[in-house]
């Protein structure tokens, strides 16, 4: 199993770079950042510094979207980083949540997202692609490589990830839901004539190492609120009781009343009072190292290739170091 570190690009950028360097020293193979231009600093500028200050860490957004930047700009940005640092980027992409809603826009449609996946990958790897009816090719790309991993929860999104994406990002660590969603992605891949095993599976969730579970839960409760934004979209589309979406995912947002993006992804988020301890325990990894290893072994058995640690709490360095000392040696490649 590979391990990634996920950070927000809060200033100063030097701290983001330092934490990524610490992660690589501790055996992490991937460094991910949020991508929401209003809420945090521009990630791709910081990605350049991360890549310059690490030796093999693969870097990308978790996740970008098809609307904040035009597709040729996104592709050129990845291709430039790859040309500078040797194909060490991964494009995590989704419909867009905070980046779009904070700016008063709606997330992109799945049709638009599916088209963007193909175009961004083709352009970044030097092939011609059509952008809004215009054939384009980036002429200076040589031997470019850009895996595109798609974030998804709902049945149509999972099917799209299986048909088109090189990897699937699932932003929660509940084993039951992981099994259900990985099966959906792999079934869609097989139906599309792809090798289901060729789709990399990345589970991303907060991890907090320590014996004080009450404190750990409070530090990670924000995650249930963040996931709840996507679940609310699913409930609006499919209803609370649907054969297409597991009730184990949808039922917990019954008491959800809106969301304040100014606290997005932060431990002090006030929009998480509906998130119970049970949900925090299911969606996150908490407790002593042995508890993390046990849950990660279960996830690995379900086909998870990478666990990406959301490290937004009051024990960032301690979590990175604990994973490097005890968790990654037990499960890493």
């Amino acid at each position: 199993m590979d391990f990634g570190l996920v950070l927000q690009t809060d200033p100063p950028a030097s701290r983001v770079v330092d934490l990524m360097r610490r992660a690589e020293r501790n055996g992490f193979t991937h460094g991910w950042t949020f991508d929401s231009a209003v809420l945090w600093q521009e990630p791709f500028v910081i990605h350049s510094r991360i890549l310059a200050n690490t030796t093999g860490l693969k870097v990308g957004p978790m996740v970008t979207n098809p609307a904040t930047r035009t597709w040729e700009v996104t592709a050129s940005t990845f291709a430039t980083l790859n040309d500078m640092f040797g194909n060490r980027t991964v494009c995590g992409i989704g419909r867009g949540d905070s980046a779009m809603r904070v700016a008063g826009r709606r997330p992109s449609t799945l049709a638009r997202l599916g088209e963007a996946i193909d175009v961004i990958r083709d352009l970044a790897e030097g092939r011609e692609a059509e952008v809004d009816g215009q054939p384009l090719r980036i002429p200076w790309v040589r031997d470019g490589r850009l895996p595109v991993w798609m974030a998804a929860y709902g049945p149509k999104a999972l099917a799209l990830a299986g048909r088109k994406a090189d990897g699937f990002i699932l932003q929660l660590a509940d084993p039951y839901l992981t099994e259900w969603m990985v099966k959906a992605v792999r079934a869609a891949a097989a139906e599309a004539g792809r090798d289901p095993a060729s789709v990399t599976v990345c589970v991303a969730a907060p991890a907090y190492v320590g014996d004080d579970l009450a404190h750990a839960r409070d530090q990670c409760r924000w995650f249930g609120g963040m996931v709840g934004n996507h679940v609310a979209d699913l409930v609006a589309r499919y209803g609370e009781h649907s054969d297409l979406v597991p009730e184990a995912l949808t039922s917990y947002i019954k008491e959800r009343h809106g969301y304040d993006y100014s606290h997005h992804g932060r431990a002090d988020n006030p929009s998480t009072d509906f998130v119970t301890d049970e949900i925090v325990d299911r969606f996150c990894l908490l407790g002593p190292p042995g508890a993390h290893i046990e849950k990660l072994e279960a996830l690995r058995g379900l086909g998870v290739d990478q666990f990406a640690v959301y490290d937004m709490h009051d024990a960032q360095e301690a979590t990175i170091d604990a994973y490097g000392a005890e968790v990654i040696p037990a499960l890493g490649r």
Side-chain angles (χ1 to χ4, degrees):
M1 180 179 277
D2 285 331
F3 288 84
L5 183 73
V6 190
L7 299 173
Q8 294 165 335
T9 51
D10 286 315
S14 59
R15 174 163 171 77
V16 178
V17 175
D18 287 345
L19 287 171
M20 291 297 187
R21 292 177 62 196
R22 190 185 198 107
E24 184 177 53
R25 292 196 301 269
N26 276 282
F28 288 76
T29 59
H30 288 69
W32 303 95
T33 69
F34 280 38
D35 179 14
S36 188
V38 174
L39 296 178
W40 303 289
Q41 293 184 331
E42 171 55 36
F44 289 106
V45 177
I46 299 171
H47 290 175
S48 183
R49 297 299 301 157
I50 295 169
L51 289 162
N53 283 275
T54 55
T55 58
L57 197 72
K58 295 181 180 178
V59 175
M62 188 175 281
V63 292
T64 193
N65 66 82
T68 303
R69 307 169 185 84
T70 60
W71 301 348
E72 69 273 18
V73 169
T74 299
S76 182
T77 301
F78 279 109
T80 300
L81 292 172
N82 282 337
D83 187 65
M84 293 171 67
F85 299 105
N87 287 337
R88 287 170 55 199
T89 65
V90 181
C91 177
I93 194 168
R95 293 175 59 226
D97 178 31
S98 62
M100 298 300 291
R101 288 179 164 129
V102 164
R105 305 185 186 106
R106 294 174 61 84
S108 298
T109 65
L110 287 175
R112 190 76 171 160
L113 175 57
E115 188 180 355
I117 288 172
D118 289 335
V119 169
I120 291 169
R121 184 197 293 116
D122 283 345
L123 290 176
E125 294 186 348
R127 295 183 293 276
E128 182 178 289
E130 190 173 290
V131 181
D132 297 327
Q134 178 69 34
L136 297 175
R137 186 178 71 84
I138 302 176
W140 47 263
V141 173
R142 298 288 183 272
D143 301 318
R145 171 76 179 123
L146 182 65
V148 181
W149 296 8
M150 179 183 155
Y153 293 106
K156 292 183 179 179
L158 295 169
L160 178 62
R163 292 196 305 270
K164 287 185 175 287
D166 301 298
F168 162 49
I169 297 171
L170 174 58
Q171 291 164 310
L172 54 79
D174 176 82
Y176 171 78
L177 293 172
T178 298
E179 181 177 20
W180 190 90
M181 294 185 186
V182 168
K183 284 182 177 178
V185 169
R186 289 187 166 158
E191 189 174 341
R194 305 177 65 196
D195 176 4
S198 70
V199 182
T200 301
V201 176
C202 174
V203 160
Y208 198 106
V209 181
D211 295 324
D212 188 343
L213 285 179
H215 181 73
R217 287 173 181 138
D218 286 343
Q219 286 292 303
C220 298
R221 199 174 306 276
W222 63 266
F223 185 66
M226 187 184 83
V227 174
N229 296 328
H230 304 284
V231 175
D233 287 344
L234 294 177
V235 171
R237 177 178 292 273
Y238 298 104
E240 186 178 324
H241 307 287
S242 170
D243 293 338
L244 297 175
V245 183
E247 197 164 331
L249 177 63
T250 59
S251 62
Y252 87 96
I253 67 162
K254 287 179 181 178
E255 303 301 321
R256 178 182 181 271
H257 303 288
Y259 189 80
D260 181 358
Y261 278 95
S262 67
H263 300 274
H264 189 56
R266 300 190 186 281
D268 63 352
N269 192 328
S271 305
T272 59
D273 54 345
F274 68 96
V275 182
T276 65
D277 287 351
E278 178 199 3
I279 289 297
V280 180
D281 291 348
R282 282 174 46 201
F283 285 11
C284 305
L285 277 79
L286 312 173
H292 292 245
I293 292 168
E294 182 180 0
K295 190 165 187 178
L296 288 167
E297 285 176 337
L299 292 170
R300 183 172 61 178
L302 298 174
V304 175
D305 301 294
Q306 180 181 149
F307 176 60
V309 175
Y310 276 106
D311 203 24
M312 278 76 76
H313 48 57
D314 64 2
Q316 290 181 302
E317 290 90 347
T319 296
I320 294 169
D321 293 347
Y323 263 67
E326 300 193 58
V327 179
I328 292 176
L331 290 151
R333 295 183 192 278

